[in-house]
Amino acid sequence: MEDRVTPPEIYFNRRQWFNRRQWLRGGIVAGSALATGAIYRGLKGRPLPVAKTKQIEVVSAETLPPESGFVVDDTPTSYRAITSYNNFYEFTTDKVDVARVAEGFVTTGWQVEVNGLVDAPKTFTMADLAALGPAEERIYRMRCVEAWSMVIPWAGIPLARLLEAVRPQAAATHVAFETLYDPERMPGQKTSVLEWPYIEGLRLDEAMHPLTLLATGLYGRELPPQDGAPVRLVVPWKYGFKGIKSIVRISLVSSQPQTSWNRYAPGEYGYYANVNPAVDHPRWSQATEQRIGEVGRRATLPFNGYAEQVASLYDGMDLAVHF
Ligand code: MTE
């Protein structure tokens, strides 16, 4: 994906240049808000939309013990940055333009069909999803395979709660996910940049892990289109591309499903895609990352810092082979 988008180095160099110029002109003290905010206002010479979606009720994760991994200590990335620097190829491959192109994406009447090897298949409306339990806050690190990262205060329900509701059968070993296919509403689907619809997959035990979230919001608001409205997957120990957006179908299956990026370039994007600083992408190192809003790079952590919670899922597996 790297070759079709602004590489992070160029993007961040531009950002730093822009900030320096702003600072010289206005004498503004460069705080973190400016550091992440300036580029989003001016990169393409026109104002970028800042989606302010409806506020939602979220159960705070603050009381949870740190070993749950539900809340990381790192400073959350600004709302503006999270909603203005996106990968969502159904709209455009230009990260900075996704918010504008996706603005107005209508999700009224959205349904998520859950089918396959389950005893109680069901098509869920958003109200049905909400009835499964209150949205819970999770402040997770997000590490893109392109070596940039964010910290995002998500809101959602554990995916396990949805899966338990449909009662998986003993033969179910994996979960397959599918994004909406509608080229009229998602203009990027008129191009062949990827095969559509976008698809993803997890092993059933990964899908049932308490960290795996079906997110419907961020920063206490409904997800804006560019972040995967109205419902997306979040698997914080895996590269960001596993976090499939705007989901319409979830199927319980008995073999490893195909996934979009793995199908596109299997040597570059693994099926497991666990964040692993020791396994480089063929075209760049995965040892460090650029946290959006920070100057300088930081070390990438095994399993994105969630090894304590998830490493045991992969006991006995060679993670250089199953990358
Ligand atoms: N889901 C769909 N349907 N289409 C996409 O292009 N991009 C993926 C993932 N989910 C993508 C997707 C990639 S590469 C990343 S890094 C994350 O979404 C980015 O999520 P964000 O834009 O909310 O940060």
Side-chain angles (χ1 to χ4, degrees):
M1 57 190 90
E2 177 93 333
D3 52 357
R4 286 201 222 90
V5 296
T6 310
E9 311 83 72
I10 292 173
Y11 180 85
F12 290 107
N13 286 342
R14 274 198 232 153
R15 176 169 64 77
Q16 277 153 18
W17 169 81
F18 191 88
N19 286 346
R20 253 197 313 278
R21 206 174 53 142
Q22 281 260 317
W23 184 81
L24 287 171
R25 215 173 35 200
I28 305 161
V29 178
S32 62
L34 176 67
T36 51
I39 191 73
Y40 306 108
R41 277 197 300 277
L43 189 68
K44 293 188 159 247
R46 60 171 176 269
L48 290 163
V50 178
K52 282 280 183 200
T53 52
K54 218 173 84 190
Q55 278 194 302
I56 51 174
E57 280 203 32
V58 185
V59 179
S60 167
E62 246 166 42
T63 54
L64 292 166
E67 60 271 20
S68 66
F70 287 178
V71 177
V72 294
D73 258 350
D74 314 21
T75 309
T77 305
S78 74
Y79 181 81
R80 192 170 185 98
I82 294 169
T83 59
S84 308
Y85 188 75
N86 298 98
N87 273 332
F88 203 169
Y89 280 20
E90 282 84 343
F91 292 101
T92 167
T93 58
D94 179 341
K95 290 176 176 33
V96 179
D97 226 17
V98 176
R100 185 186 62 79
V101 180
E103 199 180 15
F105 176 59
V106 176
T107 61
T108 318
W110 197 271
Q111 296 188 331
V112 182
E113 181 187 351
V114 187
N115 62 16
L117 300 170
V118 296
D119 284 339
K122 177 173 165 134
T123 297
F124 292 77
T125 63
M126 292 309 288
D128 293 333
L129 289 183
L132 290 173
E136 298 172 20
E137 178 184 59
R138 303 291 178 83
I139 305 179
Y140 286 164
R141 292 179 208 95
M142 202 269 251
R143 169 63 159 82
C144 180
V145 72
E146 297 165 334
W148 53 268
S149 66
M150 297 190 184
V151 176
I152 305 182
W154 298 108
I157 58 164
L159 176 63
R161 198 172 299 155
L162 173 81
L163 297 178
E164 278 156 9
V166 294
R167 302 206 302 274
Q169 294 169 356
T173 57
H174 290 76
V175 186
F177 303 84
E178 209 175 297
T179 294
L180 175 72
Y181 178 69
D182 184 343
E184 291 313 310
R185 287 155 77 194
M186 294 179 143
Q189 290 177 335
K190 291 180 182 167
T191 74
S192 51
V193 63
L194 280 177
E195 261 182 70
W196 310 110
Y198 195 101
I199 48 173
E200 254 308 333
L202 293 173
R203 260 181 9 203
L204 185 57
D205 58 344
E206 297 175 319
M208 296 296 283
H209 192 278
L211 285 172
T212 305
L213 194 71
L214 206 51
T216 49
L218 60 86
Y219 266 109
R221 295 177 177 277
E222 285 179 348
L223 283 180
Q226 62 268 38
D227 287 280
V231 58
R232 70 172 289 171
L233 184 68
V234 179
V235 193
W237 71 94
K238 293 180 179 282
Y239 289 119
F241 66 83
K242 298 293 286 187
I244 181 171
K245 298 176 170 185
S246 305
I247 297 169
V248 290
R249 188 164 301 111
I250 300 177
S251 306
L252 283 279
V253 294
S254 59
S255 60
Q256 182 173 302
Q258 283 207 317
T259 62
S260 280
W261 281 103
N262 184 241
R263 178 169 64 185
Y264 175 79
E268 302 195 14
Y269 308 105
Y271 168 79
Y272 278 93
N274 293 319
V275 175
N276 190 346
V279 176
D280 286 340
H281 184 278
R283 286 180 284 131
W284 61 86
S285 163
Q286 296 292 24
T288 63
E289 66 199 57
Q290 178 68 63
R291 176 71 54 84
I292 303 273
E294 279 184 1
V295 175
R297 297 177 77 83
R298 52 163 69 214
T300 287
L301 303 172
F303 297 105
N304 205 20
Y306 299 95
E308 188 187 331
Q309 291 83 14
V310 302
S312 63
L313 293 174
Y314 309 100
D315 278 349
M317 274 176 66
D318 182 344
L319 297 178
V321 176
H322 300 283
F323 67 96

